[in-house]
Amino acid sequence: MNKKINKNSEAVGEHPVITADIGGTSLRVALVSQDGTILHRYQGETSAVEGPRVVTERLFAGIEAVLEESRLLPDGLQAISIAFAGIIDMDRGIVTGAPHLPGWENVPLKEPVEKRFSVPVFVLNDADAAAIGEYRYGAGKGLSNIILLTLGTGIGGGIIHDGKLFTGSAVSAAEFGHMIVKDDGPACTCGRNGCLETLASGTAIAAEAKLRIAGGEKSVLTGMTGGRTEDITAEMVHRAALDGDSLAEAVIERAAYYLGIGILNLVAVFNPEMVIIGGSVAEMGELLFGPARAMVMEKSFKAMVKDLKIVTARLGNDAGLVGAAACAFETAIR
Ligand code: BGC
C-alpha cells in the first residue's frame, strides 16, 4: 500500500501542529508551522523501561509544555502527529510492536491522545516520518524514489516510492534495521540474530567497543569514561576515532561494512535515486558513510548506482518531527 504525499503542500487549515518523536531513548515534542519550521520544542527522556502508561504520560507532559510555551490551547492546533519507533497500524493509530520500548504490543496511542486533547491525532513510524520530512523539506525535495535510514538506538527505514510513502499491506513497512545481514550475528531485541541494527546502530557501535575493551584491547575510551566502560556511547567512539584511536576506528569501520551491506541490498531491491542517512549516528559523517558508499558503488550493478546519491539527512535529527507535521498537514496521507 502506498500513502499519497502531495508534492505541493495541500494545507488544510491555518493552524500549526504539535508533533512528537518517541524513540527508545528520547521523547521530543515540537510545534511546527505549515512551512515545516519548528517554532517551539521540548525534549525529555522516554523512560521506555517504565512501559506504555508512563511513556504516554510523558508524552502528555511534553505536549502540555509546548502548548504552554507557545501560549496555545489544543483547539488552536490543526492536529497532533506522533512519530513512534515501532511497527504502526496507521489506520487505527495503534503501536503493534516496538523492539526498543517494552510493553508496546497492540497499544492504542491515537485514542488516548485524542481523548486528552480533542484534536485529530495521527500516528506513524518514526523513520517513515523522517522519510516524509526529507522528501518534503530536506535532501530529497524534488525527487520521487528515496530510501531513508535512521541510525540511532535502533535502525529505522522509510521508503518514498513514486512520491508516496510505502507502508506495506497492514502496518508500517521498511523495517530496515531488522534485515538479517549476519546470521550468526549478535542477538537483536526483536528476538532474531544479526539484524542490521545489531551491527550498525549507535547501540551496536557502543556495544562492540565495550566488548573489545572487555577482551583486553586498549583504547582512550577507558580514560574518557574514567574506567566505567559500561558508560561508553557511540558519540564517544566517534570522538575517539577522530583522535586516531585504533579501537574506535576499527569499531566504526565494522559498522560501516554492515551498513554498506544493508544499503547494497536496498539498492538492489529499490533502485532509488537517493539514500538518505539520518539519526544521531549520522553525525559520524564520512567516517561511516565513506566506506559504506564505496562498497555500494563497487559491488552494485553499475547502471543502478550511476546516478545514486548517498547523503546525510538535511534536517538532521528533526526530520521525524517535521515529517510528522507534513503527514498531518497534507490531507491525502490520512
Ligand atoms: C524499530 C523501528 C524503528 C527503528 C528506529 C527499530 O528497532 O523496529 O520501528 O523505526 O528502530 O527507531
Side-chain angles (χ1 to χ4, degrees), residues 114-148:
E114 240 164 28
K115 220 182 210 165
R116 173 85 164 221
F117 296 100
S118 305
V119 293
V121 174
F122 304 93
V123 185
L124 71 165
N125 171 267
D126 57 349
D128 282 350
I132 297 172
E134 287 293 331
Y135 167 68
R136 193 60 196 84
Y137 305 105
K141 207 170 163 179
L143 304 180
S144 301
N145 291 295
I146 297 165
I147 292 293
L148 174 132

Side-chain angles (χ1 to χ4, degrees), residues 7 11 13 57 73 82 93 97 118 140 142 164 171 178 200 209 237 285 288 314:
K7 275 215 162 170
E57 286 299 329
L73 292 171
I82 305 163
S118 305
K164 295 168 194 151
V171 292
H178 299 285
V237 178
L288 188 66
R314 193 176 299 159

Side-chain angles (χ1 to χ4, degrees), residues 84-87 99-100 125-127 150 154-157 175 178 197:
F84 192 97
I87 297 95
H100 298 282
N125 171 267
D126 57 349
T150 56
I155 292 185
E175 284 288 338
H178 299 285
E197 71 173 41

